[in-house]
Amino acid sequence: MMTLYQPEPVEISTRIRPGEWTESSLEELVTTYRAKILAMGAMVPEVVTQVARHDDGSVAVTVSWNKGDYADEPASDSPAPGEATTGPATA
């Protein structure tokens, strides 16, 4: 029996102004966001990380849990286990 399931992704994101971040603080932020998404129940292959660096020196960070269409089905466009995602290296 199927239950009602909302497949919309869960997302944590922020924009950081120029001069308010370093590579180290950016990596720490991404690691923190990924840990929060994983704590919500996401599996590693379902977590998508995007870091957009803008010409003005600002950066936008988005970490999403890309859920599948059904509660027990992984997202179809998730990276394979071990496949790199966009952005700084994360644990």
Side-chain angles (χ1 to χ4, degrees):
M1 173 205 251
M2 288 299 222
T3 58
L4 181 61
Y5 177 70
Q6 300 297 321
E8 292 86 19
V10 173
E11 177 181 291
I12 303 173
S13 63
T14 193
R15 302 190 103 204
I16 308 169
R17 293 183 290 208
E20 294 186 355
W21 62 277
T22 63
E23 290 299 325
S24 177
S25 68
L26 181 61
E27 186 171 339
E28 185 177 329
L29 179 69
V30 168
T31 299
T32 300
Y33 283 5
R34 288 179 60 85
K36 287 181 180 184
I37 294 286
L38 291 168
M40 291 178 199
M43 294 176 41
V44 172
E46 297 173 321
V47 180
V48 179
T49 302
Q50 296 176 319
V51 176
R53 298 164 190 267
H54 302 285
D55 292 339
D56 66 357
S58 66
V59 67
V61 176
T62 304
V63 178
S64 303
W65 176 2
N66 193 6
K67 299 178 180 183
D69 292 334
Y70 300 98
D72 295 328
E73 176 183 299
S76 60
D77 58 348
S78 296
E83 183 176 308
T85 57
T86 306
T90 58

